[in-house]
Amino acid sequence: MANQETIVQNKIRLAINAPHVRMFRNNVGSIKDKDGRLVTFGLCKGSSDLIGFKSVEITADIIGKSVAVFTAIEIKTPKGKISKSQQAFIDMVKAKGGLAGVARSIEDAQEMLS
């Protein structure tokens, strides 16, 4: 049975599916392989649950062309707490001009993408 955060994440991924948005599940963690070596996976420690982009149209100097804006959505349940490394990742994405934040509902994710 899926945990509550997974349920929220799946609802959000389905709700924000649009031609101008592409989000991918970013599993972060580590596991030991059959030889006992630690294998890490995911973008980086603290990186958000959903990673992708939102396409936006640029006006004036690049009229009619679209660019992809890096987007990171950290999924939490209504009572879920964000870690320091997750907040640092969100802050870094925002500082560099991307879209990032915490979504506890479909509405939170849609607001972030609007």
Side-chain angles (χ1 to χ4, degrees):
M1 176 130 185
N3 68 34
Q4 289 298 313
E5 190 169 291
T6 301
I7 292 167
V8 172
Q9 181 184 122
N10 288 336
K11 287 180 180 180
I12 289 172
R13 286 191 320 168
L14 290 172
I16 63 174
N17 184 28
H20 65 286
V21 176
R22 289 288 179 263
M23 300 300 292
F24 306 94
R25 174 70 176 110
N26 178 45
N27 290 306
V28 177
S30 59
I31 191 170
K32 289 189 178 183
D33 69 8
K34 66 179 180 166
D35 298 321
R37 292 176 295 204
L38 188 65
V39 178
T40 58
F41 49 91
L43 189 59
C44 65
K45 183 178 180 180
S47 59
S48 298
D49 295 311
L50 299 177
I51 300 293
F53 58 88
K54 174 186 175 185
S55 180
V56 296
E57 186 173 325
I58 303 298
T59 57
D61 55 336
I62 312 176
I63 295 175
K65 293 197 176 189
S66 293
V67 298
V69 176
F70 186 84
T71 305
I73 302 174
E74 179 62 39
I75 309 298
K76 293 292 178 192
T77 62
K79 294 182 181 180
K81 301 208 186 249
I82 189 165
S83 71
K84 288 180 182 179
S85 61
Q86 290 168 334
Q87 187 61 58
F89 183 81
I90 288 169
D91 293 344
M92 182 268 306
V93 170
K94 286 180 171 181
K96 299 299 181 186
L99 301 174
V102 177
R104 299 176 187 280
S105 66
I106 292 168
E107 293 78 17
D108 289 348
Q110 289 172 328
E111 183 177 324
M112 196 181 314
L113 293 167
S114 64

